[in-house]
Amino acid sequence: MWSDADEVALREEAMEWLAAWTSDGLDAISYEDLGDFRFRGEKFPLRDRQLGIRKPAGMDSAFSITTTYRAPGQERPYDDRLGSDGFMRYKWDGDNPEKYTNRGLRAAMEQKRPLIWFWGVAQGVYKPIYPVYIVAEEREQQQFVVATDGLQNIESTGRDVDEVTKRYVLQETRRRLHQPVFRGLVMQAYGTRCSICTLRHSALLDAAHIVPDADPAGVAAVRNGLALCKIHHAAYDAGIIGISPDYKIGVRGDVLSEVDGPMLEFGLKGLDGNKLSVLPSAKKERPDQSLLERQYRRFETGSASRGLRADFLHSTDPPG
C-alpha cells in the first residue's frame, strides 16, 4: 500500500517532470517519452496503456485520466466535454459505478487528490493538463465533474453560482484546458513550424485562431487554427497581415508604404503576395477556407484589429 506521503511525493514529482519535458506545458509528449518517468529509481507508468483511468495497484485513488485522440470527423469513445457551468465532465469507465477505476476517481474526489489529464492531440501523443481535481459526481449521467487548477475550492458544480463567477469559470477552463489542447493539436498538424516563416522554436510559436475564440464561430479546432511565430501572430491579430482563402498573404497598404528596419522590410512587407509556407498534410486539418474568407474580408476593410479588440475586451471582463 502507498503511504500518504509517498503518494503526495509521486504526484508532485510526476508533475515537475512533465513540466520539464513539455517546457512548462507548451509542448505535447509522446507515449514513448512518458515511459521515461521514474519514481525513486523505478519506472512508473503515468497513464494506463489500455484504460482511460490510471488507478495504480496499492493506491486508493486514481492518478491520471486520458481522453483519446480522434482525427477530425471521428467520434471519441467517451463524451468528455465542457458543461454550461464551466466545469469539464469525464465519463465513467463503463457503466458499473463500483468498477475499481470509477472507485479510484471517487476516492480522488473524496481525498482531494490532484490528477493529470492526458488529452490526445495525435496518435500516441498527449497534452498533459495538471493539476485537475474531481469535485463532484453525476451518477445519472455516469460522469465526474472536473475542475482545473484554481477552481477546486469552488464547491458548487455551477448551478448556484452567480453569472459573473460562472463566466470567470468558463474563461479559466478554456485557458487551462482548451487552449493548451488547441495548441497541441495545431502544433502537431503543422509540425511545430510557423506556417508563414517556418520557424521551428516551440517557445516562439503560438496556436493562432483564425476566428477569435470569443466569437461563436471561433471553435477550438485545427481547421480554425494556424501555427504562427509570435511576430506573425501579433501582426495577424492586429490586422497588419491577412490570409486569403487560397492561403495567400496580404499586407496592409499603409504598412507597405512605411520605411523601417529589416524586420519590417523582410519579415512583414516581403510577405505580401506569398503563400503560406507550411500546411497540414491532412486536408481535414488545413485552415477552413470559409473562416479565412470571413477574416480576410475584415482585414481588407480594416476592421480586423478593431473587431479583435472588441472580442478581447468582451472575453476578459474581470470576475468581480
Side-chain angles (χ1 to χ4, degrees):
M1 293 294 292
W2 288 75
S3 70
D4 184 70
D6 285 345
E7 188 173 338
V8 169
L10 168 67
R11 293 175 193 267
E12 288 179 351
E13 289 190 25
M15 293 179 193
E16 289 174 1
W17 184 86
L18 284 169
W21 253 100
T22 64
S23 302
D24 275 337
L26 277 179
D27 303 325
I29 186 169
S30 69
Y31 181 81
E32 289 75 17
D33 287 337
L34 285 173
D36 290 340
F37 175 72
R38 283 171 168 76
F39 180 63
R40 295 178 180 170
E42 299 291 330
K43 278 193 173 185
F44 182 88
L46 294 179
R47 63 170 299 273
D48 195 290
R49 177 179 282 274
Q50 301 295 333
L51 303 176
I53 301 169
R54 167 90 165 107
K55 210 290 285 182
M59 192 181 290
D60 290 333
S61 55
F63 177 79
S64 68
I65 54 179
T66 297
T67 293
T68 306
Y69 170 75
R70 285 294 182 269
Q74 294 183 349
E75 292 186 2
R76 298 180 187 274
Y78 292 96
D79 184 22
D80 303 327
R81 59 183 176 81
L82 178 65
S84 61
D85 54 11
F87 289 81
M88 290 296 296
R89 267 54 179 186
Y90 191 84
K91 288 293 185 181
W92 284 359
D93 180 5
D95 55 11
N96 178 4
E98 297 308 316
K99 188 172 181 178
Y100 78 98
T101 44
N102 295 328
R103 284 190 286 107
L105 284 182
R106 200 168 296 123
M109 175 180 68
E110 294 165 354
Q111 298 167 12
K112 295 181 170 39
R113 299 288 194 194
L115 295 95
I116 302 165
W117 194 333
F118 291 105
W119 198 287
V121 295
Q123 197 67 41
V125 181
Y126 301 90
K127 190 76 172 181
I129 311 297
Y130 55 90
V132 300
Y133 293 80
I134 307 295
V135 295
E137 183 177 8
E138 297 170 335
R139 289 208 169 206
E140 288 187 4
Q141 290 78 32
Q142 299 185 350
Q143 62 192 14
F144 291 94
V145 181
V146 186
T148 56
D149 187 31
L151 304 178
Q152 67 270 19
N153 294 322
I154 298 178
E155 296 295 334
S156 169
T157 60
R159 285 184 285 270
D160 300 318
V161 300
D162 60 78
E163 288 303 314
V164 173
T165 302
K166 190 179 293 186
R167 187 166 68 250
Y168 169 73
V169 169
L170 281 163
Q171 291 168 357
E172 182 72 2
T173 300
R174 289 192 184 100
R175 183 185 70 81
R176 283 277 301 153
L177 183 64
H178 282 188
Q179 294 308 322
V181 169
F182 176 67
R183 175 187 168 85
L185 290 166
V186 170
M187 290 302 142
Q188 285 294 314
Y190 286 82
T192 316
R193 290 177 293 169
C194 175
S195 59
I196 290 177
C197 67
T198 72
L199 183 73
R200 292 177 179 270
H201 287 270
S202 174
L204 300 179
L205 299 179
D206 292 334
H209 288 80
I210 297 171
V211 175
D213 59 350
D215 190 291
V219 294
V222 176
R223 62 185 175 83
N224 186 40
L226 291 163
L228 296 175
C229 70
K230 292 185 181 295
I231 289 289
H232 292 137
H233 185 187
Y236 184 72
D237 283 352
I240 292 174
I241 62 175
I243 300 171
S244 70
D246 60 353
Y247 309 137
K248 187 175 290 186
I249 303 166
V251 179
R252 205 171 66 203
D254 62 311
V255 175
L256 286 173
S257 64
E258 287 182 22
V259 177
D260 205 333
M263 183 64 228
L264 179 68
E265 193 65 32
F266 301 107
L268 291 176
K269 291 171 62 176
L271 300 174
D272 192 49
N274 292 350
K275 283 202 168 187
L276 292 180
S277 297
V278 180
L279 285 171
S281 56
K283 289 186 177 180
K284 289 183 178 180
E285 294 182 335
R286 291 179 183 173
D288 186 300
Q289 292 177 306
S290 64
L291 298 179
L292 285 173
E293 181 178 13
R294 170 180 167 164
Q295 289 307 102
Y296 196 71
R297 286 178 180 174
R298 297 180 70 185
F299 161 74
E300 290 182 310
T301 59
S303 63
S305 58
R306 292 195 297 273
L308 173 74
R309 178 167 174 78
D311 290 336
F312 175 79
L313 290 173
H314 174 75
S315 65
T316 54
D317 291 338

